[in-house]
Amino acid sequence: MIFDAAATPLAGEKSRGTNLLGVRAYNERLVLSLVRRFGHLPKAEIARMTSLSAQTASVIVRSLEADGLLLRMEPSRGRVGQPSVPLKLNPDGAYALGLHIGRRTAHLMLMDFVGSVRDQIRCSYAYPDVGEILTFTTKGLNELTSKLSGAQQQRIAGLGVAVPFELWNWCSEVGAPDAALEAWRNCNLQTDLETLSGLPVSISNDATSACGAELTFGKGREHEDFLYFFIGYFAGGGIVLNGSLYPGRQGNAGALGSMPVLVRNRKTGVLEKRQLIHSASLHSLEQRLIAANIDPVAFFKSQAWDGLGSILDDWLEEASDALAQAIVASVSVLDFSRVIIDGGFPAEIRQRLVALVREKARASDLQGLSPFEIDEGSIGATARAMGAASLPFFSRFLLDQNVLFKGDA
Protein backbone atom coordinates (compact mmCIF):
# COMPACT_ATOMS: atom_id res chain seq x y z
CA MET A 1 0.00 0.00 0.00
CA ILE A 2 1.58 3.26 -1.12
CA PHE A 3 0.25 6.57 0.13
CA ASP A 4 0.47 9.68 -2.05
CA ALA A 5 3.16 11.78 -0.42
CA ALA A 6 1.91 14.78 -2.36
CA ALA A 7 -1.62 14.50 -0.99
CA THR A 8 -2.95 17.89 0.05
CA PRO A 9 -2.85 18.39 3.85
CA LEU A 10 -5.74 19.86 5.76
CA ALA A 11 -5.95 23.63 5.77
CA GLY A 12 -3.26 25.24 7.88
CA GLU A 13 -1.33 22.02 8.49
CA LYS A 14 1.50 22.44 6.01
CA SER A 15 4.10 23.30 8.62
CA ARG A 16 2.74 20.87 11.19
CA GLY A 17 2.61 17.68 9.13
CA THR A 18 5.50 16.05 10.98
CA ASN A 19 4.19 17.16 14.36
CA LEU A 20 0.70 15.85 13.64
CA LEU A 21 1.68 12.19 13.50
CA GLY A 22 4.87 12.51 15.50
CA VAL A 23 5.28 11.54 19.12
CA ARG A 24 3.48 14.19 21.13
CA ALA A 25 5.07 15.95 24.09
CA TYR A 26 4.09 14.58 27.50
CA ASN A 27 1.68 17.38 28.42
CA GLU A 28 -0.06 17.16 25.04
CA ARG A 29 -0.46 13.41 25.53
CA LEU A 30 -1.81 14.02 29.01
CA VAL A 31 -4.44 16.46 27.74
CA LEU A 32 -5.52 14.15 24.92
CA SER A 33 -5.69 11.17 27.29
CA LEU A 34 -7.81 13.00 29.84
CA VAL A 35 -10.22 14.26 27.19
CA ARG A 36 -10.45 10.74 25.75
CA ARG A 37 -11.19 9.23 29.14
CA PHE A 38 -13.83 11.73 30.24
CA GLY A 39 -15.38 12.36 26.82
CA HIS A 40 -15.09 16.15 27.01
CA LEU A 41 -13.47 18.74 29.29
CA PRO A 42 -13.26 22.55 29.38
CA LYS A 43 -9.85 24.23 29.52
CA ALA A 44 -10.28 25.21 33.17
CA GLU A 45 -10.87 21.59 34.16
CA ILE A 46 -7.91 20.45 32.07
CA ALA A 47 -5.69 22.95 33.87
CA ARG A 48 -6.97 21.78 37.26
CA MET A 49 -6.53 18.07 36.54
CA THR A 50 -3.06 18.46 35.03
CA SER A 51 -1.79 21.09 37.50
CA LEU A 52 -0.78 23.20 34.52
CA SER A 53 -1.18 26.95 34.58
CA ALA A 54 -4.21 28.33 32.75
CA GLN A 55 -1.90 29.96 30.21
CA THR A 56 0.05 26.73 29.54
CA ALA A 57 -3.17 24.71 29.23
CA SER A 58 -4.51 27.26 26.73
CA VAL A 59 -1.34 27.07 24.63
CA ILE A 60 -1.51 23.25 24.53
CA VAL A 61 -5.22 23.22 23.71
CA ARG A 62 -4.75 25.76 20.89
CA SER A 63 -1.94 23.65 19.45
CA LEU A 64 -4.05 20.46 19.57
CA GLU A 65 -6.98 22.31 17.99
CA ALA A 66 -4.74 23.63 15.23
CA ASP A 67 -3.53 20.08 14.54
CA GLY A 68 -7.13 18.94 14.25
CA LEU A 69 -6.97 16.61 17.26
CA LEU A 70 -9.41 18.53 19.50
CA LEU A 71 -12.79 20.08 18.67
CA ARG A 72 -14.75 22.75 20.51
CA MET A 73 -18.28 21.87 21.57
CA GLU A 74 -21.23 24.15 22.24
CA PRO A 75 -20.63 26.42 25.28
CA SER A 76 -22.04 25.18 28.60
CA ARG A 77 -24.35 27.85 30.01
CA GLY A 78 -26.29 28.18 33.21
CA ARG A 79 -23.43 29.09 35.56
CA VAL A 80 -22.22 32.47 36.81
CA GLY A 81 -19.61 34.08 34.57
CA GLN A 82 -18.49 33.25 31.08
CA PRO A 83 -19.85 29.97 29.68
CA SER A 84 -17.22 27.23 29.50
CA VAL A 85 -16.45 25.57 26.18
CA PRO A 86 -15.92 21.79 26.47
CA LEU A 87 -13.35 20.17 24.23
CA LYS A 88 -13.58 16.68 22.76
CA LEU A 89 -11.42 14.48 20.57
CA ASN A 90 -11.87 14.96 16.85
CA PRO A 91 -12.90 11.55 15.45
CA ASP A 92 -11.16 12.50 12.19
CA GLY A 93 -8.07 13.79 13.98
CA ALA A 94 -6.24 10.49 13.49
CA TYR A 95 -6.88 6.99 12.22
CA ALA A 96 -5.28 3.65 12.93
CA LEU A 97 -5.42 0.20 11.39
CA GLY A 98 -5.75 -2.93 13.48
CA LEU A 99 -4.97 -6.46 12.30
CA HIS A 100 -5.88 -9.58 14.27
CA ILE A 101 -4.24 -12.80 13.07
CA GLY A 102 -6.05 -15.79 14.54
CA ARG A 103 -5.77 -19.54 14.13
CA ARG A 104 -8.92 -19.72 12.00
CA THR A 105 -9.68 -16.12 10.97
CA ALA A 106 -7.99 -12.79 10.25
CA HIS A 107 -9.63 -9.42 10.86
CA LEU A 108 -8.49 -6.01 9.62
CA MET A 109 -10.17 -2.76 10.67
CA LEU A 110 -9.88 0.99 10.27
CA MET A 111 -10.59 2.88 13.50
CA ASP A 112 -10.91 6.60 14.14
CA PHE A 113 -9.48 8.61 17.02
CA VAL A 114 -12.44 8.06 19.36
CA GLY A 115 -12.50 4.27 18.83
CA SER A 116 -15.29 4.01 16.27
CA VAL A 117 -14.77 1.31 13.66
CA ARG A 118 -15.00 3.01 10.26
CA ASP A 119 -14.60 -0.12 8.14
CA GLN A 120 -13.45 -3.73 8.48
CA ILE A 121 -12.89 -6.93 6.53
CA ARG A 122 -12.39 -10.55 7.56
CA CYS A 123 -11.22 -13.82 6.07
CA SER A 124 -11.43 -17.44 7.24
CA TYR A 125 -9.00 -20.28 6.63
CA ALA A 126 -8.19 -23.79 7.77
CA TYR A 127 -4.89 -22.65 9.26
CA PRO A 128 -2.82 -19.44 9.24
CA ASP A 129 -0.33 -19.27 6.35
CA VAL A 130 2.23 -16.44 6.35
CA GLY A 131 1.95 -15.75 2.62
CA GLU A 132 -1.85 -15.77 2.63
CA ILE A 133 -1.99 -13.45 5.64
CA LEU A 134 0.38 -10.95 4.00
CA THR A 135 -1.67 -11.09 0.80
CA PHE A 136 -4.91 -10.55 2.73
CA THR A 137 -3.35 -7.64 4.62
CA THR A 138 -2.02 -5.98 1.47
CA LYS A 139 -5.38 -6.16 -0.30
CA GLY A 140 -7.24 -5.19 2.87
CA LEU A 141 -5.12 -2.12 3.56
CA ASN A 142 -5.67 -0.90 0.02
CA GLU A 143 -9.41 -1.55 0.26
CA LEU A 144 -9.85 0.25 3.58
CA THR A 145 -7.61 3.22 2.87
CA SER A 146 -8.79 3.79 -0.71
CA LYS A 147 -12.04 5.10 0.75
CA LEU A 148 -10.16 7.88 2.56
CA SER A 149 -9.17 11.17 1.01
CA GLY A 150 -5.50 11.99 0.58
CA ALA A 151 -5.65 14.30 3.62
CA GLN A 152 -7.24 11.56 5.72
CA GLN A 153 -4.58 9.06 4.66
CA GLN A 154 -1.97 11.47 6.00
CA ARG A 155 -3.60 11.07 9.41
CA ILE A 156 -3.13 7.29 9.67
CA ALA A 157 -0.96 6.83 12.75
CA GLY A 158 0.11 3.25 12.08
CA LEU A 159 -0.81 -0.41 11.98
CA GLY A 160 -1.28 -2.41 15.18
CA VAL A 161 -1.20 -6.21 15.11
CA ALA A 162 -2.69 -8.70 17.56
CA VAL A 163 -1.33 -12.21 17.09
CA PRO A 164 -0.89 -15.28 19.32
CA PHE A 165 2.70 -15.49 20.48
CA GLU A 166 4.64 -18.59 19.40
CA LEU A 167 1.98 -19.55 16.89
CA TRP A 168 4.25 -22.34 15.64
CA ASN A 169 3.92 -24.30 18.90
CA TRP A 170 0.32 -25.42 18.27
CA CYS A 171 0.58 -27.69 15.21
CA SER A 172 -1.54 -30.55 16.56
CA GLU A 173 -4.28 -28.29 17.94
CA VAL A 174 -4.50 -26.10 14.84
CA GLY A 175 -4.27 -29.00 12.42
CA ALA A 176 -1.75 -27.25 10.17
CA PRO A 177 1.25 -28.73 8.37
CA ASP A 178 4.41 -28.36 10.44
CA ALA A 179 6.07 -26.30 7.69
CA ALA A 180 3.19 -23.80 7.55
CA LEU A 181 3.46 -22.93 11.23
CA GLU A 182 7.26 -23.15 11.27
CA ALA A 183 7.24 -20.35 8.70
CA TRP A 184 5.88 -18.06 11.45
CA ARG A 185 8.98 -18.77 13.55
CA ASN A 186 11.26 -17.73 10.72
CA CYS A 187 9.46 -14.62 9.48
CA ASN A 188 9.93 -11.10 10.80
CA LEU A 189 6.29 -10.07 10.88
CA GLN A 190 6.90 -6.49 11.95
CA THR A 191 9.43 -5.82 9.19
CA ASP A 192 7.29 -7.54 6.55
CA LEU A 193 4.21 -5.52 7.48
CA GLU A 194 6.11 -2.23 7.67
CA THR A 195 7.49 -2.90 4.19
CA LEU A 196 4.14 -3.65 2.58
CA SER A 197 2.18 -0.93 4.40
CA GLY A 198 4.67 1.92 4.62
CA LEU A 199 3.44 2.46 8.19
CA PRO A 200 4.98 2.01 11.64
CA VAL A 201 3.85 -1.35 13.04
CA SER A 202 3.26 -2.33 16.68
CA ILE A 203 2.67 -5.95 17.69
CA SER A 204 0.98 -7.37 20.79
CA ASN A 205 -0.31 -10.72 22.02
CA ASP A 206 -3.91 -11.19 20.87
CA ALA A 207 -5.46 -11.75 24.31
CA THR A 208 -3.47 -8.81 25.73
CA SER A 209 -4.78 -6.65 22.89
CA ALA A 210 -8.35 -7.69 23.70
CA CYS A 211 -7.77 -6.74 27.34
CA GLY A 212 -6.38 -3.40 26.22
CA ALA A 213 -9.50 -2.77 24.15
CA GLU A 214 -11.74 -3.48 27.13
CA LEU A 215 -9.61 -1.17 29.28
CA THR A 216 -9.58 1.63 26.71
CA PHE A 217 -13.02 1.46 25.12
CA GLY A 218 -15.16 -0.84 27.29
CA LYS A 219 -16.21 -1.45 30.88
CA GLY A 220 -12.58 -1.53 31.97
CA ARG A 221 -12.56 2.28 32.00
CA GLU A 222 -14.69 2.08 35.15
CA HIS A 223 -12.24 -0.07 37.16
CA GLU A 224 -8.67 0.40 38.32
CA ASP A 225 -8.04 -3.34 38.70
CA PHE A 226 -9.57 -6.36 37.03
CA LEU A 227 -8.85 -9.84 35.71
CA TYR A 228 -9.75 -10.37 32.07
CA PHE A 229 -10.51 -13.55 30.12
CA PHE A 230 -10.92 -13.69 26.36
CA ILE A 231 -12.26 -16.95 24.95
CA GLY A 232 -10.86 -17.22 21.44
CA TYR A 233 -9.59 -20.28 19.62
CA PHE A 234 -7.59 -20.71 22.82
CA ALA A 235 -8.43 -19.01 26.10
CA GLY A 236 -6.18 -16.16 27.16
CA GLY A 237 -6.40 -13.02 29.17
CA GLY A 238 -4.82 -10.05 30.84
CA ILE A 239 -4.28 -8.37 34.18
CA VAL A 240 -5.07 -4.72 34.85
CA LEU A 241 -3.57 -3.10 37.96
CA ASN A 242 -3.83 0.57 38.87
CA GLY A 243 -5.61 1.27 35.61
CA SER A 244 -2.85 -0.14 33.43
CA LEU A 245 -2.11 -3.45 31.73
CA TYR A 246 0.35 -5.40 33.85
CA PRO A 247 2.83 -7.20 31.57
CA GLY A 248 4.83 -9.10 34.19
CA ARG A 249 8.60 -9.45 34.42
CA GLN A 250 8.89 -11.27 31.07
CA GLY A 251 5.79 -9.84 29.42
CA ASN A 252 3.76 -13.00 29.95
CA ALA A 253 1.46 -12.00 32.81
CA GLY A 254 -2.14 -12.99 32.19
CA ALA A 255 -1.27 -16.23 30.36
CA LEU A 256 -4.45 -17.60 31.88
CA GLY A 257 -4.91 -20.28 29.25
CA SER A 258 -2.02 -22.20 30.80
CA MET A 259 -3.67 -22.38 34.23
CA PRO A 260 -4.29 -25.99 35.39
CA VAL A 261 -7.90 -26.97 36.12
CA LEU A 262 -9.71 -30.21 36.89
CA VAL A 263 -12.06 -31.40 34.16
CA ARG A 264 -14.22 -34.51 34.09
CA ASN A 265 -13.44 -36.81 31.15
CA ARG A 266 -16.61 -37.11 29.07
CA LYS A 267 -15.99 -40.78 28.31
CA THR A 268 -14.64 -42.16 31.58
CA GLY A 269 -16.13 -39.70 34.09
CA VAL A 270 -12.71 -39.40 35.78
CA LEU A 271 -11.39 -35.99 36.84
CA GLU A 272 -8.29 -35.03 34.88
CA LYS A 273 -5.86 -32.15 35.23
CA ARG A 274 -5.70 -30.02 32.07
CA GLN A 275 -4.80 -26.52 31.05
CA LEU A 276 -7.66 -24.05 30.76
CA ILE A 277 -7.16 -23.78 26.97
CA HIS A 278 -8.30 -27.38 26.52
CA SER A 279 -11.72 -26.75 28.08
CA ALA A 280 -12.62 -23.04 27.96
CA SER A 281 -11.71 -22.36 24.33
CA LEU A 282 -13.25 -22.42 20.90
CA HIS A 283 -10.76 -25.15 20.03
CA SER A 284 -12.60 -27.39 22.49
CA LEU A 285 -15.91 -26.49 20.84
CA GLU A 286 -14.37 -27.15 17.43
CA GLN A 287 -13.47 -30.70 18.46
CA ARG A 288 -17.10 -31.29 19.40
CA LEU A 289 -18.22 -29.93 16.02
CA ILE A 290 -15.85 -32.25 14.17
CA ALA A 291 -17.12 -35.23 16.18
CA ALA A 292 -20.66 -34.27 15.09
CA ASN A 293 -19.59 -34.01 11.41
CA ILE A 294 -20.02 -30.21 11.38
CA ASP A 295 -17.47 -28.22 9.35
CA PRO A 296 -15.88 -25.91 11.94
CA VAL A 297 -14.50 -23.43 9.38
CA ALA A 298 -17.95 -22.95 7.85
CA PHE A 299 -19.52 -22.76 11.31
CA PHE A 300 -17.22 -20.05 12.68
CA LYS A 301 -17.59 -18.11 9.46
CA SER A 302 -21.39 -18.19 9.67
CA GLN A 303 -21.59 -17.76 13.47
CA ALA A 304 -24.79 -19.87 13.41
CA TRP A 305 -24.77 -20.81 17.09
CA ASP A 306 -28.52 -21.21 17.53
CA GLY A 307 -28.79 -24.72 16.09
CA LEU A 308 -26.03 -26.42 18.11
CA GLY A 309 -28.30 -27.64 20.90
CA SER A 310 -26.61 -30.14 23.23
CA ILE A 311 -23.19 -29.59 21.61
CA LEU A 312 -23.23 -25.99 22.77
CA ASP A 313 -24.82 -26.85 26.13
CA ASP A 314 -22.11 -29.40 26.95
CA TRP A 315 -19.34 -27.03 25.91
CA LEU A 316 -20.75 -24.18 28.01
CA GLU A 317 -20.98 -26.51 31.02
CA GLU A 318 -17.35 -27.60 30.77
CA ALA A 319 -16.01 -24.16 29.88
CA SER A 320 -17.85 -22.42 32.72
CA ASP A 321 -16.65 -24.97 35.26
CA ALA A 322 -13.02 -24.54 34.15
CA LEU A 323 -13.31 -20.74 34.14
CA ALA A 324 -14.80 -20.69 37.64
CA GLN A 325 -11.82 -22.71 38.91
CA ALA A 326 -9.36 -20.38 37.18
CA ILE A 327 -11.09 -17.30 38.61
CA VAL A 328 -11.09 -18.56 42.19
CA ALA A 329 -7.41 -19.50 41.91
CA SER A 330 -6.52 -16.09 40.45
CA VAL A 331 -8.46 -14.15 43.07
CA SER A 332 -6.60 -16.04 45.78
CA VAL A 333 -3.30 -14.66 44.44
CA LEU A 334 -4.37 -11.07 43.66
CA ASP A 335 -7.60 -10.06 45.34
CA PHE A 336 -9.36 -8.80 42.23
CA SER A 337 -12.76 -7.32 42.95
CA ARG A 338 -13.76 -7.57 39.29
CA VAL A 339 -13.47 -10.27 36.62
CA ILE A 340 -14.46 -9.58 33.00
CA ILE A 341 -15.16 -12.35 30.48
CA ASP A 342 -15.43 -11.81 26.73
CA GLY A 343 -14.86 -13.90 23.63
CA GLY A 344 -15.19 -14.48 19.95
CA PHE A 345 -18.85 -15.43 20.04
CA PRO A 346 -22.27 -13.72 19.88
CA ALA A 347 -23.41 -11.62 22.85
CA GLU A 348 -26.13 -14.12 23.82
CA ILE A 349 -23.52 -16.90 24.13
CA ARG A 350 -21.35 -14.64 26.29
CA GLN A 351 -24.35 -13.95 28.50
CA ARG A 352 -25.05 -17.66 28.97
CA LEU A 353 -21.40 -18.44 29.69
CA VAL A 354 -21.00 -15.66 32.25
CA ALA A 355 -24.22 -16.64 34.03
CA LEU A 356 -22.93 -20.21 34.40
CA VAL A 357 -19.51 -19.03 35.60
CA ARG A 358 -21.13 -16.85 38.26
CA GLU A 359 -23.22 -19.78 39.44
CA LYS A 360 -20.24 -22.14 39.65
CA ALA A 361 -17.98 -19.55 41.28
CA ARG A 362 -20.59 -18.91 43.98
CA ALA A 363 -20.76 -22.65 44.64
CA SER A 364 -16.96 -22.85 45.10
CA ASP A 365 -15.18 -22.76 48.46
CA LEU A 366 -14.49 -19.04 48.80
CA GLN A 367 -13.39 -19.03 52.43
CA GLY A 368 -10.62 -16.50 52.97
CA LEU A 369 -11.26 -14.64 49.71
CA SER A 370 -12.51 -11.09 49.31
CA PRO A 371 -15.81 -10.66 47.43
CA PHE A 372 -15.56 -10.26 43.66
CA GLU A 373 -17.93 -9.62 40.76
CA ILE A 374 -17.96 -11.39 37.40
CA ASP A 375 -19.07 -9.23 34.45
CA GLU A 376 -19.56 -9.67 30.74
CA GLY A 377 -17.12 -7.91 28.47
CA SER A 378 -18.56 -5.14 26.32
CA ILE A 379 -16.77 -5.48 22.98
CA GLY A 380 -16.91 -9.08 21.78
CA ALA A 381 -15.17 -10.65 18.81
CA THR A 382 -13.73 -7.35 17.54
CA ALA A 383 -11.79 -6.77 20.80
CA ARG A 384 -8.49 -8.14 19.50
CA ALA A 385 -8.50 -6.03 16.33
CA MET A 386 -9.67 -2.94 18.27
CA GLY A 387 -6.91 -3.44 20.81
CA ALA A 388 -4.44 -3.75 17.96
CA ALA A 389 -5.73 -0.52 16.35
CA SER A 390 -5.33 1.34 19.65
CA LEU A 391 -1.58 0.58 19.75
CA PRO A 392 -0.58 3.34 17.27
CA PHE A 393 -2.69 5.86 19.20
CA PHE A 394 -0.90 5.07 22.45
CA SER A 395 2.44 5.08 20.68
CA ARG A 396 1.93 8.56 19.25
CA PHE A 397 -0.73 10.44 21.18
CA LEU A 398 -1.84 8.98 24.50
CA LEU A 399 -0.68 7.93 27.95
CA ASP A 400 -1.68 4.72 29.69
CA GLN A 401 -4.50 4.67 32.22
CA ASN A 402 -2.11 4.49 35.18
CA VAL A 403 -1.17 8.14 34.73
CA LEU A 404 -4.82 9.16 34.43
CA PHE A 405 -5.92 7.51 37.66
CA LYS A 406 -3.10 9.26 39.49
CA GLY A 407 -4.25 12.52 37.90
CA ASP A 408 -7.72 12.10 39.43
CA ALA A 409 -6.45 12.28 42.99
Side-chain angles (χ1 to χ4, degrees), residues 39-41 65 71-76 84-89:
H40 54 82
L41 289 171
E65 285 185 276
L71 291 176
R72 290 175 178 250
M73 301 173 64
E74 290 295 321
S76 298
S84 63
V85 179
L87 295 141
K88 66 178 182 178
L89 295 184

Side-chain angles (χ1 to χ4, degrees), residues 8 16 112 152 160 165 216 230 234 240 245 268 300 306 351:
T8 304
R16 289 193 297 271
D112 67 25
Q152 288 174 317
F165 284 171
T216 306
F230 189 89
F234 289 138
V240 172
L245 278 169
T268 66
F300 287 120
D306 293 343
Q351 184 178 31

Side-chain angles (χ1 to χ4, degrees), residues 162-231:
V163 59
F165 284 171
E166 298 188 355
L167 188 59
W168 54 86
N169 279 336
W170 305 94
C171 291
S172 60
E173 288 85 355
V174 175
D178 291 352
L181 291 191
E182 191 64 22
W184 288 99
R185 187 200 297 270
N186 299 322
C187 80
N188 188 323
L189 185 62
Q190 182 171 3
T191 298
D192 290 344
L193 289 173
E194 285 180 341
T195 299
L196 69 85
S197 71
L199 295 168
V201 172
S202 305
I203 297 180
S204 174
N205 173 265
D206 58 341
T208 304
S209 292
C211 185
E214 189 67 49
L215 173 63
T216 306
F217 305 113
K219 292 181 179 178
R221 289 177 294 183
E222 304 168 8
H223 309 293
E224 290 193 47
D225 308 287
F226 61 89
L227 179 68
Y228 178 85
F229 289 86
F230 189 89
I231 312 304

Side-chain angles (χ1 to χ4, degrees), residues 124-136:
S124 301
Y125 38 75
Y127 58 85
D129 177 85
V130 173
E132 290 181 6
I133 292 294
L134 293 178
T135 299
F136 163 76

Side-chain angles (χ1 to χ4, degrees), residues 273-305:
K273 184 184 290 185
R274 303 179 192 170
Q275 287 192 334
L276 182 69
I277 59 171
H278 295 298
S279 294
S281 66
L282 298 185
H283 166 67
S284 174
L285 176 60
E286 180 180 89
Q287 297 308 301
R288 295 169 189 264
L289 295 174
I290 293 171
N293 295 315
I294 298 173
D295 179 3
V297 175
F299 167 77
F300 287 120
K301 185 176 182 179
S302 68
Q303 291 284 289
W305 296 71

Side-chain angles (χ1 to χ4, degrees), residues 43-67:
K43 278 190 293 186
E45 189 65 12
I46 289 172
R48 185 192 70 79
M49 297 179 74
T50 58
S51 298
L52 296 171
S53 68
Q55 182 179 3
T56 299
S58 292
V59 169
I60 291 173
V61 165
R62 283 199 299 271
S63 174
L64 294 174
E65 285 185 276
D67 284 340

Side-chain angles (χ1 to χ4, degrees), residues 17-55:
T18 303
N19 185 47
L20 173 65
L21 291 182
V23 178
R24 313 296 301 198
Y26 178 88
N27 284 337
E28 290 180 324
R29 285 171 170 256
L30 181 56
V31 170
L32 289 171
S33 299
L34 286 168
V35 174
R36 184 200 63 77
R37 183 182 173 209
F38 290 98
H40 54 82
L41 289 171
K43 278 190 293 186
E45 189 65 12
I46 289 172
R48 185 192 70 79
M49 297 179 74
T50 58
S51 298
L52 296 171
S53 68
Q55 182 179 3

